[in-house]
Amino acid sequence: MHSFVYRANALLTFAVTILAVMCAMASFSDNLNVPSPTAEVQVLNINWFQKHPNGNDEVSLTLNMSANLQSMFTWNTKQVFVFIAAEYETPLNSLNQVSLWDGIIPSKEHAKIWIHTTNKYRFSDQGSNLRGKEFNLTLHWHVMPKTGKMFADKIVMTGYRLPDEYR
Amino acid sequence: MDWQGQKLSEQLMQILLVLFATVAFVTGYLMGSFQIMLFIYAAGVILTTLITVPNWPFFNRHPLQWLDPIEAEHYPKPQPVASKKKPTKQYQK
């Protein structure tokens, strides 16, 4: 601590070390928050359902989703990424996931959402397995923090079924 | 800056930074704002820099007491020693 530059260096080093500790503590404080999001998705309509010449099934849906994701937001949350995936089982694969819609929620004020939309991304199966298929709609989310650990979880909504015939 | 001043400066720096960090974290957490935490801490770092880095007069209250020059002359000064190689050679002859 004998010179100006030495003192400045010591202070800067210590200040940055403490900043890192503060960020680690902020990340740790996210564990104290227990989110209780709610979500509800309805399939309002099967717009069309067809088999492509290449043998793949594809379906177009109209979805209505209402969700309250406000409890995910803490002081250390930058944004939340959410997506709805159709999940179903086929003889070849025990889990198929097809993303139908996604969105980025930038703040707590925008975390109460109500959306009426057709599927944003194509719902097609690699094969011809969709007729009469039972599927789940799952709301996945990734909570992106300002510092530290990212959290991910999901809500599984069961009991959806595709029609038995192409239309 | 004298020895006591250096010690004081280092301790002040560490205590102030930890103090500001604690205040910033608690305030930020309670107000639910990461930004407030960073602003309080940044202000604390700047204030701490202004207090502990410049050589303020209060870091110089304990100047070193040097011996008087007269007292130093009582003791013999160290004399340069002749180089070692030559004497050993002469001794062998």
Side-chain angles (χ1 to χ4, degrees), chain B residues 2-71:
Chain B
D2 59 47
W3 298 112
Q4 303 263 350
Q6 291 183 32
K7 188 181 176 185
L8 178 66
S9 159
E10 182 162 10
Q11 286 178 343
L12 260 182
M13 184 264 279
Q14 290 172 348
I15 291 169
L16 282 175
L17 281 184
V18 170
L19 197 73
F20 274 111
T22 313
V23 171
F25 187 85
V26 171
T27 314
Y29 185 75
L30 291 181
M31 296 187 69
S33 167
F34 205 80
Q35 204 176 22
I36 286 177
M37 176 180 88
L38 290 183
F39 279 141
I40 294 177
Y41 186 58
V45 170
I46 290 169
L47 192 69
T48 310
T49 308
L50 291 178
I51 292 174
T52 62
V53 174
N55 189 11
W56 297 113
F58 64 85
F59 289 129
N60 293 293
R61 282 191 195 145
H62 306 276
L64 274 184
Q65 301 294 323
W66 295 95
L67 292 178
D68 288 336
I70 299 159
E71 195 171 339

Side-chain angles (χ1 to χ4, degrees), chain A residues 110-154:
Chain A
H110 297 93
K112 241 180 180 171
I113 45 182
W114 185 92
I115 304 163
H116 182 94
T117 178
T118 59
N119 50 321
K120 188 173 169 182
Y121 306 112
R122 298 172 69 177
F123 184 1
S124 73
D125 179 59
Q126 292 178 335
S128 183
N129 303 302
L130 290 184
R131 274 173 299 172
K133 178 63 72 183
E134 296 269 348
F135 66 102
N136 297 336
L137 285 175
T138 307
L139 183 78
H140 292 263
W141 65 84
H142 294 258
V143 180
M144 299 178 185
K146 286 175 174 142
T147 59
K149 188 171 172 280
M150 189 164 84
F151 292 89
D153 207 346
K154 63 185 178 182

Side-chain angles (χ1 to χ4, degrees), chain A residues 65-129:
Chain A
M65 183 185 73
S66 58
N68 185 352
L69 309 178
Q70 286 181 322
S71 58
M72 291 175 193
F73 282 81
T74 68
W75 71 314
N76 189 29
T77 305
K78 180 173 172 57
Q79 62 185 19
V80 174
F81 173 70
V82 286
F83 67 98
I84 296 174
E87 298 181 341
Y88 57 95
E89 192 180 340
T90 57
L92 204 59
N93 301 303
S94 59
L95 178 63
N96 299 269
Q97 289 179 300
V98 184
S99 175
L100 301 184
W101 173 88
D102 65 8
I104 294 169
I105 298 164
S107 70
K108 194 170 189 168
E109 288 72 40
H110 297 93
K112 241 180 180 171
I113 45 182
W114 185 92
I115 304 163
H116 182 94
T117 178
T118 59
N119 50 321
K120 188 173 169 182
Y121 306 112
R122 298 172 69 177
F123 184 1
S124 73
D125 179 59
Q126 292 178 335
S128 183
N129 303 302

